[in-house]
Amino acid sequence: MPNNFHLAPDAKIVDGLLAVPMDIQQLQASVVFNAATSTASATSTITFITGQQNGCPVFDLRQTIGSATLDGLPILPADLALHNFGGGANAGMRIINRVLPAGTTHTLQVVYTLALPQSPAGGSYQPNIAWAAGPRLIFNFGFTDLAPARYLEAWFPANLIFDQFSIELDLQLINTAVVHAVITNAAVTALGSNHWKLNYPARSTALSTLLEIRAADTVQHQGSTVTLPVSGNTITIDAWKLVTGAADLSTQINNIKTFLTSNENNYGPYLHGNRFTVFFNIGGMEYDGGATTGTGALKHETFHSWWARGMKPASQPDGWWDEAWTTYFCDNAGAASTPFDFTAAPVELCAQNQWSRITDSEAYTQGNRFWQGMSAMLGNANLLHYMKDFFSRAKNELVKTNHIEEYLLCRSGNAQLVDAFHRFVYGFANPAATPDLWLKDDATDALGNNDWNGRFWDSPDIWVRNKDDGGLTQQSPEFGQDNWFYARVRNKSSSVTVKHFVVAFNVKQFAGTQFRYPNDFFPATAAASGFTLAPGASMIVKAKWPKKDVPPAGSHACLLASVITRSDHPVNNKFVWESNNLAQKNLTIVDLRPNQFILLPFVVTNQVFLQKRVFDLQVFRPPGFPAIPVSLLHPNTRLFSNFRDANTFTVSSTNDAAHKKDEALDCGGHVVAEHLSFPVITNSNIRESPDLIDGGLHEMQYADGENVSIRFPLKKGDQLLLHLKVMVPANIPAKQQLRFDVVQRDTATGKITGGIALLINVIN
């Protein structure tokens, strides 16, 4: 079963113990309710794994532990004590007082008398275990997100809500002849009279599980079915109430059918199997495919099977977004648009305390107001479309607040959105002085000024990795898998701590010399957030590059990045070298053997000047290699001057050309087989490129030298599609790295206005 350590709180020293997160894989518990003694005994076992750090694992249980074993060996209940993690009143967690090795699997079993949980009151429907004449049991979980420790941990050992695990409960009621009913969203197996096995799926978290046990003669049940319009699935509706309850089950079932149908039409397939369970009593609380609710909150709680339990909050502070969006879209029709007032006081809906265990009560009011502001900022139709699409991408996942912010920024390109989250979600005040975040343009860029006249097309502060491995060097993207973007963000200020920032990454699927903010930077491919960047410090953030967005092998993509924080946005119409908030990496990395060459397509533009200009396209060869063959390919040689000579670029064949296969390379490209006069790496097979086969391109050779130019004019807004050809001579030894920079320079001013880079690894 996969783990969610990437969503877990950080390790923390608590009372002298290094407390580390665990990831529960399975909870198995058995409970015997004894009607003769009005008591209940429980034995619970969790199987869990540890993360990447040795330490004392953390969990919670709000029952008094009688005895326990860890990996089959006795452990004192005192070594499973509750500790204060600084998450607020009653938000403590239990720590296993044993240092367990990283990356290992363990079992913890606890035995206890099941009683009312030692959790604070909160919400309208309290947890209950009580007995009435008969004897009759009254038992309900009574979850709420308005008080800490009121989820599954109130009754059984569990984790914070970042963790997903399967749950098996064996529940038996003895010493009573009264038949009881179990009301639940679990898969139920009857094991005998008043004896049930409940199974909750592996996607469950501590807030997923609905459970009520009532004497059958005290409750009324009615069932029906509805076939939903998007999935086509037939859903069984199980509706329950107390026999004394006022709800009309037939009416409410029809309402549920309407709500489920509407929700599928708005947000896609129902995600909780083929059943929806609701117990009409008091209050309102959502579960995975179920609810306990009054009739007035039914629409709200049904919608939560999409927003809250179809896509779940990754932590308790993230719980604001599901209540806020449900209030805005479901309760209030999702149409209101009220612009933000940035002079209003900050509002904290999402606390930064990783150990906080309540949803902010203002999620329903200020959260609704926040989405009204976003509607005004982005346009109501856009906001509704973005949120529907976000749900489609994130369904069945655990979602942090910054995931929503990052997605909306990527789609909308509206940098003011970051200001809104800063002030009205995270609750941060305006910075005391203007912040100044920056990304290096070049390794020699030490000051972070906005204007940089050196190499800016290969920023050392942005790079790609093929895995989420924390590596610090650029790798060529691997097609067909997720890759990862990284950025190192620097705080230039000597006095301002930046509380919150976002880096947006975009990929242009071609190499180009000039890119302008914002049109080339947005819509973005991915984004990453950072918090609390101290003066003069730097921080590395990362974002997944989904495999569906990674271009095919042999492409020569350019990576762009922009960093945004409250009061420090990139300026519109600026190029990378004009703004320290912007960075690009126009670096192509390939492996070549001697006598092979690469054709690198790239785009040269004149976006800088208002009139026709003459540019030099300078090539900087590697030091010590002034004679490596370098040339440009283009149909029209008359545009260019001061090249050594020009030839028609042709591909010649050998007799057995049609029977040779291309050779795959580790870099993700390929070498066209021996039917070509030279092996070639390109972004498409030359045999499928008519302009090359037909001699449509002319090859213009650069003169020898480590710094040489070919000159050409460009009108305002014009662009050229060129191919850079670089050949590895036969005498270049293997394991040699050859770096080439191609620089666009305005001849009148000498100013660099663009560039790309090529790194060739010479292989055997």
Side-chain angles (χ1 to χ4, degrees):
M1 184 183 301
N3 65 68
N4 287 337
F5 283 116
H6 63 291
L7 299 172
D10 298 329
K12 182 175 182 177
I13 299 291
V14 179
D15 298 329
L17 303 174
L18 178 57
V20 298
M22 69 162 65
D23 190 287
I24 297 174
Q25 302 289 287
Q26 184 181 46
L27 163 65
Q28 292 178 298
S30 63
V31 180
V32 176
F33 298 93
N34 190 334
T37 59
S38 299
T39 60
S41 58
T43 300
S44 298
T45 303
I46 54 173
T47 302
F48 66 92
I49 59 175
T50 56
Q52 297 181 350
Q53 188 172 3
N54 299 345
C56 303
V58 174
F59 73 105
D60 197 14
L61 171 63
R62 294 309 176 98
Q63 300 284 326
T64 300
I65 298 174
S67 62
T69 61
L70 177 63
D71 297 331
L73 299 176
I75 183 172
L76 294 174
D79 286 332
L80 303 173
L82 200 68
H83 296 259
N84 183 358
F85 279 69
N90 299 303
M93 300 287 291
R94 291 183 184 268
I95 301 176
I96 301 175
N97 190 5
R98 297 289 188 274
V99 176
L100 300 183
T104 53
T105 301
H106 304 271
T107 58
L108 174 69
Q109 184 177 89
V110 288
V111 179
Y112 50 98
T113 297
L114 193 73
L116 285 175
Q118 298 154 17
S119 303
S124 57
Y125 192 32
Q126 302 302 312
N128 197 15
I129 179 170
W131 299 90
R136 290 172 171 83
L137 173 65
I138 303 169
F139 178 79
N140 64 271
F141 274 171
F143 289 0
T144 182
D145 50 13
L146 300 178
R150 283 284 302 280
Y151 293 141
L152 189 61
E153 66 274 8
W155 304 99
F156 302 105
N159 210 338
L160 298 179
I161 62 173
F162 74 87
D163 197 2
Q164 295 172 285
F165 48 96
S166 63
I167 302 165
E168 180 181 288
L169 304 181
D170 185 305
L171 307 175
Q172 186 174 15
L173 174 58
I174 61 174
N175 294 325
T176 181
V178 177
V179 176
H180 284 65
V182 62
I183 303 169
T184 182
N185 57 343
V188 180
T189 302
L191 301 179
S193 177
N194 289 338
H195 189 188
W196 312 272
K197 182 172 73 173
L198 277 56
N199 287 101
Y200 300 88
R203 66 175 184 272
S204 302
T205 70
L207 46 65
S208 296
T209 54
L210 166 62
L211 178 59
E212 302 258 345
I213 302 176
R214 300 274 182 161
D217 59 4
T218 66
V219 292
Q220 179 182 339
H221 170 261
Q222 188 169 326
S224 187
T225 62
V226 60
T227 300
L228 296 182
V230 176
S231 64
N233 291 338
T234 299
I235 305 300
T236 297
I237 299 170
D238 282 320
W240 298 78
K241 70 167 189 172
L242 296 174
V243 294
T244 57
D248 183 300
L249 291 185
S250 295
T251 299
Q252 298 309 320
I253 285 174
N254 286 332
N255 288 337
I256 293 170
K257 292 178 181 180
T258 299
F259 300 150
L260 292 175
T261 298
S262 175
N263 293 341
E264 267 220 349
N265 282 327
N266 284 320
Y267 286 102
Y270 181 71
L271 300 172
H272 306 289
N274 295 314
R275 186 159 57 104
F276 182 84
T277 302
V278 60
F279 178 54
F280 289 98
N281 193 1
I282 57 175
M285 186 63 198
E286 65 274 10
Y287 299 86
D288 289 13
T292 55
T293 184
T295 57
L298 177 61
K299 181 180 179 182
H300 181 104
E301 302 306 335
T302 305
F303 186 78
H304 271 320
S305 275
W306 278 259
W307 283 81
R309 299 299 179 263
M311 180 180 74
K312 295 175 182 159
S315 73
Q316 204 60 59
D318 295 309
W320 77 274
W321 57 253
D322 65 72
E323 295 298 351
W325 186 252
T326 300
T327 303
Y328 175 76
F329 181 85
C330 178
D331 301 350
N332 296 323
S337 293
T338 307
F340 289 111
D341 180 355
F342 281 95
T343 68
V347 176
E348 184 185 69
L349 297 173
C350 181
Q352 293 304 294
N353 188 331
Q354 295 178 307
W355 300 98
S356 175
R357 299 182 64 184
I358 58 172
T359 294
D360 196 289
S361 61
E362 291 191 324
Y364 305 88
T365 54
Q366 291 293 341
N368 176 40
R369 172 68 182 87
F370 173 79
W371 290 119
Q372 293 182 33
M374 294 305 296
S375 176
M377 178 180 289
L378 304 180
N380 184 256
N382 287 335
L383 176 64
L384 297 181
H385 174 72
Y386 295 154
M387 295 297 275
K388 180 177 181 178
D389 189 55
F390 180 80
F391 179 87
S392 177
R393 293 165 182 249
K395 61 182 180 289
N396 287 321
E397 294 185 6
L398 305 183
V399 171
K400 297 184 70 65
T401 297
N402 59 282
H403 295 163
I404 300 176
E405 177 189 16
E406 291 156 7
Y407 176 78
L408 291 176
L409 176 64
C410 287
R411 289 296 302 272
S412 72
N414 191 326
Q416 196 178 26
L417 180 149
V418 177
D419 297 337
F421 273 84
H422 177 100
R423 192 164 183 84
F424 300 120
V425 172
Y426 302 122
F428 298 135
N430 290 333
T434 302
D436 192 357
L437 297 185
W438 64 292
L439 301 161
K440 276 192 172 187
D441 285 322
D442 181 63
T444 61
D445 181 7
L447 300 178
N449 295 327
N450 280 323
D451 291 308
W452 177 256
N453 197 35
R455 297 177 69 256
F456 58 81
W457 48 90
D458 185 15
S459 169
D461 279 350
I462 56 174
W463 62 97
V464 171
R465 300 295 295 177
N466 302 143
K467 296 181 179 180
D468 181 17
D469 59 4
L472 301 177
T473 58
Q474 170 78 1
Q475 291 180 323
S476 294
E478 287 286 347
F479 179 67
Q481 66 173 55
D482 293 335
N483 287 254
W484 291 81
F485 298 121
Y486 284 81
R488 182 185 289 104
V489 179
R490 304 170 188 270
N491 186 353
K492 189 175 180 181
S493 173
S494 60
S495 60
V496 176
T497 295
V498 174
K499 296 295 185 67
H500 155 244
F501 64 87
V502 184
V503 178
F505 300 94
N506 196 27
V507 176
K508 307 296 283 189
Q509 294 193 22
F510 60 91
T513 57
Q514 296 178 1
F515 296 102
R516 190 196 298 261
Y517 183 87
N519 289 349
D520 288 320
F521 288 76
F522 289 103
T525 306
S529 301
F531 295 88
T532 315
L533 180 53
S538 65
M539 179 184 297
I540 293 175
V541 296
K542 60 187 177 182
K544 184 169 73 173
W545 185 2
K547 64 180 180 181
K548 68 180 181 59
D549 297 327
V550 178
S555 299
H556 306 291
C558 174
L559 174 60
L560 304 176
S562 53
V563 58
I564 301 165
T565 188
R566 175 70 171 148
S567 302
D568 183 22
H569 299 181
V571 177
N572 284 354
N573 296 316
K574 293 293 186 181
F575 294 94
V576 170
W577 65 87
E578 297 176 312
S579 172
N580 65 1
N581 296 76
L582 307 176
Q584 72 184 62
K585 184 173 286 292
N586 255 344
L587 173 63
T588 298
I589 305 174
V590 295
D591 296 344
L592 288 181
R593 296 181 175 88
N595 287 327
Q596 291 180 338
F597 64 84
I598 180 174
L599 292 180
L600 174 61
F602 68 104
V603 174
V604 179
T605 61
N606 178 13
Q607 299 187 62
V608 180
F609 301 105
L610 300 178
Q611 64 282 330
K612 179 179 179 180
R613 304 289 282 207
V614 176
F615 297 95
D616 279 331
L617 206 57
Q618 290 179 275
V619 167
F620 290 82
R621 289 184 174 96
F625 296 94
I628 291 178
V630 180
S631 54
L632 289 180
L633 274 61
H634 191 267
N636 186 2
T637 63
R638 289 178 294 177
L639 286 172
F640 303 89
S641 60
N642 66 302
F643 51 87
R644 191 173 66 189
D645 54 87
N647 298 294
T648 300
F649 183 79
T650 59
V651 178
S652 60
S653 299
T654 61
N655 292 333
D656 60 348
H659 305 288
K660 298 295 185 180
K661 294 183 178 180
D662 296 350
E663 180 180 356
L665 296 181
D666 291 337
C667 66
H670 61 270
V671 172
V672 179
E674 296 173 3
H675 65 284
L676 302 179
S677 56
F678 295 99
V680 177
I681 296 178
T682 182
N683 64 332
S684 65
N685 191 321
I686 282 186
R687 289 173 297 177
E688 300 170 0
S689 182
D691 59 342
L692 297 183
I693 291 177
D694 296 340
L697 296 181
H698 297 287
E699 181 178 355
M700 294 158 284
Q701 298 182 16
Y702 278 91
D704 291 347
E706 292 184 2
N707 176 7
V708 291
S709 300
I710 290 179
R711 184 162 294 183
F712 62 98
L714 274 184
K715 296 178 182 179
K716 176 192 174 184
D718 274 1
Q719 70 178 36
L720 297 175
L721 174 60
L722 302 170
H723 287 74
L724 179 73
K725 178 184 173 186
V726 179
M727 182 168 184
V728 179
N731 61 348
I732 299 291
K735 299 184 180 180
Q736 183 74 47
Q737 281 196 329
L738 304 175
R739 183 189 182 93
F740 299 82
D741 287 301
V742 180
V743 177
Q744 182 181 351
R745 189 186 298 272
D746 176 48
T747 58
T749 62
K751 183 177 180 63
I752 296 175
T753 61
I756 64 173
L758 170 65
L759 180 64
I760 297 176
N761 296 312
V762 182
I763 61 175
N764 291 322

